[in-house]
Every structure is written in structure tokens, then in C-alpha cells.
Amino acid sequence: MSSPAADPRPSPAVAGSPTVAPPRRLAGTYVLVAVALMLLGGGAAAAARDSYGAPQVTAAIRCLGEQGIDWRALLRVDSPRQRSPEIRERIQTCATPTTRDQSLVMLAGAVLLPAAAVLLMIGGAVLVRRRLSRAAVPAAHTVAAGLAAERFEAWCDLLGLTGRRRPRLVLTAPYASGRQAFTTGLPFAAPRVVLPLGHAYLEPARFDVLVLHELAHVRSRDVSWAAAVWWTGWLSVPVLLLALSPLARWPRQRSVLLDQYLPSLALAVALTVIVLGLRAALLRRRELAADRYAREVLGDPHALHSVLGPLGDGARRPAGWFRRVLEVHPPPAVRAGLDPAAADRWEGGFAVSAVAGMLAMLTVQSVYVALGGLGLGWDARLPLNLAAAAGSLLWAGVLVPAWCRRARQATADGAPTWLGPVAGAVFGTLAGFLVQAPGQATRMNPGVWQAQFAGHLTLGAGTMAVVTAGVAVLTAGLAVSADRPGRAVGAVLAGAAAWTVAFTTSIWVLIGYLQAPDPGQVRTMLMGAGLWEWRWAPPLVLAGCVLAARGRRAVPAPVAVWVIGVAALAGGVAAGLTWRLRIDSAGSDDQLFVLVSQRSMICAAAGWVVLAVLLLNGRRGGAAVPAIPGALAGGFVAAALAGAVTFGVAAAGGRGRSLGVLLAAVRWPMWQLFLAAVLTLPVLLAGALLADRYRRREQRRATGRVAAITAGVLVGVLSVALAGGALPPLAVGPHDWSDYLASLETAPGREPVPVLAVPAVPSLPAAVGGGDPGRPLDAAAAAAALVVADRLLPAGHRRVETASADDGTVPDVRPETCRAALIRHRESERARPRTANVTRQYKMPVGPHPEVTVTVGITSYVTPVRDFRIDQELTDRCGHLTLPAAASDNGLMEGGYASATAPAVPYPAYRTDFTLTGPVRTLPVVTTMSSQRVLVGHNLVSVEILLSGFGGPPSAEVLGYRERLGEALLIAIVDGLRLDR
């Protein structure tokens, strides 16, 4: 093996090759790692705060409950914040301290975790440099070391590395820094290329490959970034353990908390896996890019083969799939036979697209929660709009550059495929939509969308899938042309605007539909009602499409001009005539809204026809995706021109001669075209691809006149259908506008907070039917008498399975006298023969208590029971008791039985109130049960209402409601016993 001493300068054969562009910095992947780390840090901080700041949370929940407000409703986008100013002030008084602290803690965690990665990077680099200073071998130590240093400097001169960009070579003693070469750096300092001394004795060709590989890292200017990303692998696991801190602090409640925090832990694990996977993929990608740079500089595609033998790790056994995912260095076989385009295609493929979509949606949820806690909740739209803008910028900022690079890479078929990236974006966005926000994921604290679309999450997810698919297809078309800085910025802004508007519009339309399930509500909002803040979005998308379409004409200019002109003229004239011929007969706001909507929809239909015709008539050979921006820009222009023509037709009749009317006539068709494009672009793209596949090669595209005539006919047909109401989903109803205005007045959240509804206590007539209420009953008759509970319980109740029968086990209650009384009570009940024993159990919300248990039952004995002496003994003996409870901090719960006023019925009646109190995570948890019983001959009728809550006993309003509800149920059931069965 020769030394490089004979040739201290680079080989003349490669003298011109160092002009190769340096490896590209993977900015998008770095951003994804940073965002995932921020979400993980914010979620872990929120979980830790929830573990140690529970009393403050309980105080807020109790304060809201006293105001009659369910604290879970504050997570809804249409929360009680939309009520009167007085209601908003009361909510802010209760919730602001804890929500503000929660937001600040989340923000602190989101900042501190990436900052910790940067600090570890700096500290690690400082320690490495100190270690290298002790292990470094001077260049004059050996002849080979000196010649290696000269050859290294020669390469630096040839590559133009000067100033702080010029690295220093550090040769280390054997085994002092490992066997591999590496590069280390500090911000604002010259990097260090570290080579073991044995590398100085390599042949010049092998030495050059190693040096150029490390200099590729230097030229990419991401050494410090890569070091910070490397440290994230060590940070994610401790942060995950921090998210588990509630389990460590409350050992007695480990099983309960594990079930409670299972969604949060699952999300923390998912984010950890995402961070580790992105970290490994990014570092592998850097190594492959450095290998490619070394080969291109040397002009030898097989240059790496000389070093992948002795110095590579080709001898190691193949790793499992999980290890391969987390490896930071690609295996030698991949490095030797690398497909030059594989890395770029992976960066814009399914996996990265899915991760970007998921992190974007999680960003929306986290930012929404944080902004709401910082006092921006006075306007429900503002936090959601800002959160959607943040998520959309992340989504488009990562995917547009990645998809642009993917578009430049050829596949075996000659053009990149887009099914994987689009499917990945949809899958990731849906995953982020369905999971809860980091730090908020508990079973008692549903996520933003889980709370908003409770019971209708499938509808929300399906809508998100359709909308995301359309925006992803549009973004792919914009990304194809984003090969210049100006076009890239325009594509990112247009894609972000489309994502923001489509997402928020879907949310608000779904909210309106769920509040008033009427298709007219959806149509009215899609016309633009209530969504005024997004009027600027279509022009911004149009600007991005125009930038992307410049120089990439999928359709010849004459054809496009013919199609746009004819469609705009046909749509404008049809819309104008529809308006002018019927405006004089419009005598109400509803009729006027119908005419305005139909006029706007006809103009938008003209634009959609242009979009479809230009896309289907575009260039063949896999060029359907690049044709999208130009086709959509043509559609926007046609819709705007049709609106202008409509304005002219109306103005000729003496109506609407103002600039505001002209702008509205142009703007709203563009808005409706944007919505139509988002919903139909995937279908149109699939149609274009199918037409391209089955079209005969010799068949030519339609000429300008043929395409224009086709567009004009389609516009005419759609105009007649829209004006005549032949398209039911799009046909504006005669009362849509008035129904929409009425929904604004009666929507949930607009009315004052109602008091707890109490069912009317039915009167007890002297005789109903001919049945004796005290007669022995069979199971069927007893069950029939309990059916009345379904009619008396308030809306929102549900029947659940009754708990299994008592197994005879008596808990370890103290004092012993109470335990003995409890045993006697149970033995007495078992000893009494009975003909029926039927119970029904229900769950329902009551005020601030989301789940109250109501149990009604009838026990029919063979021998009548005369009094409640055994129950009275139990109450007397157990006025104060303690019993073991695994969930309590100290393992005990304290409470007791107390007699209360019996219900007003003409039969022997008895009522007891049972209360248990204990600390759970330092919070006082109070469980109360009211038990009311009536003896009617052979029959014992019972009603038990159980509720619990944090922070203290239920409010007086809730307790009063419980008493009245129990008495009403009891009287109604007794009344039902008189019916003949």
C-alpha cells in the first residue's frame, strides 16, 4: 500500500471535476424533525404539568361547574365563548389562570426540547474537540501524516474552501477516536475533519474518496444541524419517560392512570418513533449524498468500491427491519449500488408525505389549544385560522420542495408517480385529525375534533380525506414547476392558502351542518356566507398557478384562449340573463339570495368547465399533473370574466352599477370555483390519466374551435340545470337564506346557560286501572313498570348493562361495627324469598358531571316487608366509615351514610345519602349516592343516583336536581305498578 507522499496534489484527471454542486441541505426533513421534537416537548411538558398542577385545574373545573358550564365544551370550536359577553367573562374568570399556565407550559416545552438538542450539540462538539486535542497527531509526526495533510489542503484549495468554511484536518492516534472518519463542527467556527492515522497510509484513490466524502459534509453546511439531529435520538426517550411521570408519582393509581393516559402515551410513542425514524433517514440521506458527491468529483462511479471492503462494514450480518429503519449509516451494498434518484424520490414519497401531513394537523391542534389559553379565545375563528395557517405553512413548506425534486427524477416509466405522495398526505392528515393534541390526550380530555364532532367523527374524517386529496393534487401540480426561488415561494404560499381555506371551510361548514342538519345550511355557507375572511384566498391561489404555469403550456395558447373566451362569454351571458329576467319578480331576501347564488354558480361552472377541458385536452405522456396549474388558472380567469360579463348585462338593465357589485360579481365565482376544484381535482386527474392510457397514439388533441364549442355546450347545459334546479345538491332552496339566519339565532351556544331541567312530578291519582300496586310481580311485570324511566330521564341519557350481581364479598370496612351491620344487611336481603328482582341502569350528563349513573329497580318479595329497620341500623352504624381504595393517594376513602328526608309518597319510604371522599393525585374526589326506597306491599321500589367529581361536593343546584329527579322517578314507577300487566 503506497503513501500519498508521491503525489501531494490532486490527480490532474480530476482537476476539473470539483465544480460539482455541493450536496443539498435537507431543510424540509430538518424542519419535520424540529416540529416533531417541539410537539413531543410540548406534550411532555403538558403531561408533567397535569401531574403536578392538578389542584389549579380542579379549581377551574369546579368554578365552571358552578356557572353551569361543562368544562369539556370549552374544547369545542363552537364553545360557550360564543355566547353573551357576560358568559365569556365568567368563563375567562374561571378558566384563564389554568389555561394560560397550560399554554405557557406547552410553549416552554416546545422551545426547551429543541434548545436542549442544540445545547447538547454544542456541548458534545466542545467535548469532542477537547478529546481530539489530546489524541491529535501532528502532521510532522510521520512522513505519511505530513503528506496526507498536504493532500487534504490541496483538495480544500481546489474546492474553494476558505475562511471559516475551510476545515482543519485532525489525524488521531490509533484507537483514540474509533476506526471511522467523521466531521465535527461548532456554530461560527471552522469544522474539523477527523481521520485515524492509519488512513494516511492508504493509496491516493482511497484517501481521496474518504476526504471528499467528509468535505461533502462541509460543503453542505449542515454539520452542526446534523449533530443536533443526532442528539434528538437521545432526547426522545427521556422526554417519553417525562410524559409517563404521572404513573411514577401516583403508584397506587398506576392501572387507572395507565388507562386514562393511554391515548397520550400512544401519541408520545408515535412521536418518538417519528423523530427517531426521521433522524435516521436524514443521516442516511446525508451519507448517500456525500458518497454521490465524491463519485461525481472523482468522475468514477465505482470509486467507493475501493473503500467499502476493508474499511466498510460489509461483513456484518443483515439487520432486521426495525434496526434498518433506525440505522444512521446505509449498508455498504446500498452505498455501492445506489440509484442516484432513489433518495430524492423517498424524500417526496409516501412516508415523508404522511409524516408531514400528520405533524401539520397536530400543529393545528396544538397551536389552537395554546392560542385559546393565551386569551385569544374571545373570537373562536381567530385561534383556528391562525392555527390552520401555521399547519398549512409547515405542510406546503415541506412538501412543495420535496415534490419538486421528485418531479425532476425519472422513473422506469419516464415520469414520477403521484399516487404514493398524495395517498401519504391524505393518510397523515387523517391520522393527525383523529388523534388528540400532544399533552391533551386523555380519556377525560378529548381532543379538539373528538369533542367537536362527538358521534360524527366519521363524517369529519371523510370530509377531511376528500378535501386533503384535492389540495394535495393541486399542490403536486404547483410543486412540479417550483424549480426557481420565485416559483417555489409562490407555490408554497398558494398551497398553504389552499390548505388553510379548505380545512377551515370544512370545519365551519361541518359545524353549521351539525347544528342544523339541513343541506341548505351547507349550500348557504359554500356560497360564502359566514366565511368572509377568506375572500383573498382564490386570487392568491390564482397567482401561484400563474407563476407555475409560466413556460409550461400544457395546452397551446390559441386553444386555451378559445376555450376561456367562449366559456366565459357563455357563462356570463347565461348568468346575466338569468338574473335580469327574474330580478323584477324577486320580492324577498330569500328570492334575491336564490338569484345571486345561481348567477354566481353559473359563472363558477364556466370556470370549472374550462378547468376540465384544458386538463383533459392537455399534453399526454404523464403531463396531467404539470397541467393542473395552467388549467386552474384558466378556470379562474374564465370565472372572473364570466362574472364581469354578468355585471355588464345587469348594469345594462340599470342595476348594480357600482365597483363593489363588480368586485363581488368577480370574487364569488372564483371562490366557488376554488371549492369545486378542491372537491373534483382528484377525479379530473384520474380521468385525464385514464384517457391518456386508452387513447390511441395517432389520435390528435382537439383543436381550439372544437374544444371551445365543447366548453360552450357544457356551460349552457350546466346553466340550464342550475337555473332549473335539476342538480339537487347544488339547487339553492327558496328558504335557504332565512333558514341560515334563523340558525344563527338558535344555534347551540347562543342561548343563555339553561338551568338543569327537572321532569314534572306526576300526580298520583286515586286509582289507575284495576291493578293492586302491592301485589307480587313476576319479572316481566316489574320490567314493564320500569320502562317509565326512559320517558322521564333528560335528553342525552343512555341505557347500559347492569353490573353483575353481588358475589357476597364484604369490603374491609372500618369500624368493625359498621362492617358487621353491612354483613347483616346483605344476609337479610338474601334470606328473603322473592318472585322478581329487576334493575335498569342509565348514564347521563348532569351539569358539570359528564357521567351520572341512575339505577332503578323493583324487588318483589313473597312475604311483604313492613319497614326499613335493617336499613336504619346500617345508617346508624356507618355514620362514619373508611374503606380501602387503590386509587386514593393514601389507600383509603372516608365517608358514611346519613338519613335524609323521605320522598313524599303514601307508602313507607326511606332515603339515605352516602358520601365518600379521598385524595386522588392531591385532588379531593367526592362520590355521592342518593338512595330512595318505597315499600308497596310485596314490592320494594328503589332509585339510586350516583355521581362524582373533583374538587369538592356537587353544587347545591346539582344536589337539588338529583333529589327531584329521584323522587319523580320513584313516583312514576309506583304509579306504573297500578296498571294491569
Side-chain angles (χ1 to χ4, degrees):
M1 193 178 295
S2 62
S3 166
D7 187 11
R9 302 293 299 173
S11 171
V14 298
S17 296
T19 57
V20 173
R24 174 181 48 82
R25 184 186 298 175
L26 305 176
T29 311
Y30 282 120
V31 170
L32 289 181
V33 173
V35 170
L37 206 61
M38 293 173 66
L39 292 172
L40 186 61
R49 182 258 182 189
D50 185 51
S51 175
Y52 295 96
Q56 189 177 20
V57 177
T58 301
I61 292 175
R62 180 155 184 79
C63 178
L64 291 170
E66 292 172 351
Q67 303 293 335
I69 300 171
D70 186 352
W71 62 277
R72 297 175 304 169
L74 298 182
L75 296 173
R76 299 171 64 95
V77 180
D78 63 337
S79 70
R81 290 187 176 95
Q82 296 187 43
R83 297 175 178 170
S84 66
E86 179 185 356
I87 298 297
R88 290 199 299 266
E89 184 178 353
R90 289 192 293 180
I91 292 174
Q92 291 174 359
T93 301
C94 294
T96 295
T98 183
T99 56
R100 182 181 61 245
D101 291 349
Q102 180 189 47
S103 299
L104 293 176
V105 167
M106 288 181 63
L107 292 175
V111 172
L112 289 178
L113 192 57
V118 174
L119 292 177
L120 286 174
M121 175 268 294
I122 296 175
V126 171
L127 292 177
V128 168
R129 293 202 174 192
R130 287 186 177 180
R131 188 182 65 189
L132 292 177
S133 64
R134 296 190 297 267
V137 176
H141 183 71
T142 63
V143 175
L147 294 178
E150 293 180 8
R151 193 171 188 85
F152 179 83
E153 295 297 330
W155 274 113
C156 290
D157 291 338
L158 200 58
L159 295 175
L161 297 174
T162 60
R164 284 192 309 211
R165 294 181 53 210
R166 188 180 185 91
R168 290 178 54 188
L169 177 66
V170 179
L171 296 172
T172 59
Y175 305 106
S177 62
R179 300 174 55 189
Q180 299 293 332
F182 65 91
T183 302
T184 179
L186 275 172
F188 311 109
R192 302 287 194 272
V193 174
V194 182
L195 296 177
L197 183 60
H199 288 38
Y201 295 90
L202 295 176
E203 297 175 352
R206 300 177 66 185
F207 181 84
D208 290 347
V209 171
L210 294 173
V211 169
L212 286 173
H213 178 95
E214 300 305 325
L215 292 181
H217 294 320
V218 174
R219 292 203 67 192
S220 65
R221 301 185 182 184
D222 66 346
V223 175
S224 297
W225 283 81
V229 168
W230 185 87
W231 278 106
T232 61
W234 299 98
L235 282 174
S236 56
V237 175
V239 170
L240 177 59
L241 295 178
L242 180 62
L244 297 173
S245 59
L247 302 182
R249 188 180 181 195
W250 315 109
R252 292 182 177 274
Q253 306 156 39
R254 196 162 291 163
S255 59
V256 177
L257 286 175
L258 184 60
D259 179 72
Q260 174 69 18
Y261 281 87
L262 189 59
S264 183
L265 301 182
L267 182 57
V269 171
L271 287 175
T272 300
V273 172
I274 288 175
V275 169
L276 293 174
L278 285 174
R279 161 188 176 267
L282 187 149
L283 296 178
R284 288 197 305 268
R285 174 67 175 80
R286 290 181 70 250
E287 297 302 316
L288 296 177
D291 290 342
R292 183 166 60 187
Y293 177 79
R295 289 197 304 267
E296 292 178 356
V297 169
L298 294 173
D300 182 3
H302 305 291
L304 262 70
H305 293 181
S306 62
V307 298
L308 290 177
L311 297 179
D313 31 333
R316 68 183 183 183
R317 291 176 299 176
W321 68 269
F322 186 74
R323 182 178 173 183
R324 289 198 302 270
V325 170
L326 300 182
E327 279 184 332
V328 297
H329 283 82
V334 174
R335 299 177 68 177
L338 180 66
D339 176 4
D344 289 333
R345 288 200 299 270
W346 174 87
E347 189 184 356
F350 177 90
V352 173
S353 301
V355 170
M358 180 177 180
L359 294 181
M361 187 58 72
L362 290 177
T363 299
V364 172
Q365 294 196 53
S366 298
V367 173
Y368 176 77
V369 172
L371 292 179
L374 291 177
L376 296 179
W378 55 269
D379 181 1
R381 290 185 181 273
L382 183 58
L384 182 61
N385 292 343
L386 294 178
S392 67
L393 286 174
L394 170 64
W395 190 81
V398 171
L399 291 185
V400 165
W403 287 358
C404 177
R405 288 186 290 272
R406 179 183 180 85
R408 295 201 298 266
Q409 301 298 330
T411 64
D413 297 330
T417 58
W418 292 101
L419 179 60
V422 172
V426 174
F427 177 82
T429 303
L430 278 183
F433 180 84
L434 294 175
V435 301
Q436 295 158 299
Q440 307 298 308
T442 64
R443 295 194 186 278
M444 290 185 63
N445 187 13
V448 174
W449 315 128
Q450 286 80 0
Q452 177 58 48
F453 301 116
H456 304 277
L457 197 58
T458 303
L459 176 62
T463 304
M464 286 297 108
V466 173
V467 168
T468 304
V471 175
V473 170
L474 172 59
T475 305
L478 294 169
V480 170
S481 304
D483 52 355
R484 298 179 185 178
R487 292 180 179 177
V489 172
V492 169
L493 292 179
W499 196 95
T500 302
V501 176
F503 170 74
T504 53
T505 299
S506 302
I507 294 297
W508 291 121
V509 170
L510 284 173
I511 290 173
Y513 177 76
L514 294 179
Q515 291 178 351
D518 180 11
Q521 179 85 357
V522 176
R523 287 192 299 265
T524 305
M525 295 194 71
L526 291 181
M527 291 299 106
L531 302 169
W532 317 115
E533 64 263 41
W534 298 123
R535 292 175 293 180
W536 52 267
L540 183 56
V541 176
L542 171 61
C545 291
V546 170
L547 285 176
R550 291 183 59 188
R552 290 178 178 267
R553 294 178 179 173
V555 176
V559 175
V561 171
W562 272 101
V563 171
I564 293 173
V566 171
L569 183 61
V573 171
L577 291 177
T578 300
W579 166 270
R580 188 169 176 178
L581 294 176
R582 296 188 293 174
I583 185 59
D584 293 332
S585 61
S588 65
D589 289 343
D590 278 327
Q591 294 176 344
L592 184 62
F593 177 73
V594 169
L595 295 183
V596 171
S597 301
Q598 290 181 354
R599 183 181 72 178
S600 179
M601 291 171 64
I602 291 173
C603 297
W608 185 85
V609 167
V610 170
L611 166 64
V613 170
L614 294 183
L615 190 59
L616 295 174
N617 197 45
R619 293 181 300 176
R620 307 270 69 85
V625 173
I628 290 175
L632 185 55
F636 276 131
V637 171
L641 290 177
V645 172
T646 301
F647 169 80
V649 173
R655 293 180 178 271
R657 296 177 178 178
S658 67
L659 180 60
V661 175
L662 174 60
L663 292 178
V666 172
R667 182 174 61 244
W668 292 121
M670 295 179 66
W671 163 260
Q672 292 153 20
L673 173 61
F674 167 76
L675 297 178
V678 168
L679 296 176
T680 60
L681 264 178
V683 177
L684 291 177
L685 179 61
L689 295 176
L690 288 176
D692 184 30
R693 174 175 296 184
Y694 294 106
R695 181 179 296 175
R696 294 176 304 185
R697 293 186 177 181
E698 63 272 12
Q699 183 176 354
R700 299 176 60 185
R701 291 175 297 180
T703 62
R705 294 181 180 179
V706 173
I709 293 173
T710 303
V713 171
L714 289 176
V715 171
V717 171
L718 288 176
S719 300
V720 173
L722 288 171
L727 300 176
L730 301 179
V732 180
H735 304 293
D736 282 0
W737 181 247
S738 58
D739 291 344
Y740 171 74
L741 294 179
S743 70
L744 297 181
E745 299 299 328
T746 61
R750 297 292 182 182
E751 298 297 327
V753 182
V755 297
L756 293 174
V758 179
V761 178
S763 60
L764 196 61
V768 180
D772 175 14
R775 70 190 184 281
L777 302 176
D778 57 14
L786 295 178
V787 173
V788 68
D790 288 300
R791 299 195 298 269
L792 280 179
L793 290 176
H797 75 276
R798 69 184 191 280
R799 186 178 175 184
V800 297
E801 292 294 330
T802 307
S804 59
D806 185 10
D807 59 0
T809 303
V810 178
D812 188 16
V813 180
R814 291 292 181 268
E816 186 61 33
T817 55
C818 174
R819 189 170 188 273
L822 184 59
I823 293 175
R824 286 194 298 272
H825 186 275
R826 293 193 177 187
E827 290 177 349
S828 175
E829 284 293 323
R830 290 196 188 96
R832 293 172 178 171
R834 61 197 68 185
T835 61
N837 185 19
V838 180
T839 59
R840 282 179 174 237
Q841 195 168 85
Y842 302 88
K843 300 283 186 180
M844 65 178 189
V846 175
H849 304 279
E851 197 165 81
V852 174
T853 304
V854 178
T855 305
V856 296
I858 295 178
T859 302
S860 189
Y861 299 104
V862 175
T863 303
V865 179
R866 301 303 178 186
D867 53 39
F868 291 97
R869 283 182 296 177
I870 191 68
D871 299 274
Q872 183 66 53
E873 179 190 4
L874 179 63
T875 303
D876 296 339
R877 300 286 185 180
C878 299
H880 179 270
L881 60 85
T882 62
L883 58 84
S888 175
D889 295 346
N890 57 12
L892 295 174
M893 299 286 281
E894 297 184 7
Y897 289 88
S899 298
T901 304
V905 292
Y907 300 101
Y910 189 71
R911 174 185 163 192
T912 57
D913 289 342
F914 177 68
T915 304
L916 272 182
T917 304
V920 177
R921 298 166 60 197
T922 72
L923 305 176
V925 175
V926 179
T927 300
T928 66
M929 182 179 71
S930 173
S931 177
Q932 302 188 45
R933 298 184 174 192
V934 174
L935 287 172
V936 185
H938 291 260
N939 304 314
L940 172 66
V941 181
S942 63
V943 175
E944 295 178 349
I945 302 179
L946 174 72
L947 59 88
S948 61
F950 288 92
S955 65
E957 182 185 15
V958 171
L959 292 177
Y961 172 78
R962 184 187 67 176
E963 296 174 10
R964 294 189 297 272
L965 176 63
E967 187 171 346
L969 288 170
L970 201 66
I971 294 175
I973 294 172
V974 171
D975 191 23
L977 292 177
R978 296 184 175 182
L979 298 176
D980 291 325
R981 304 291 182 182

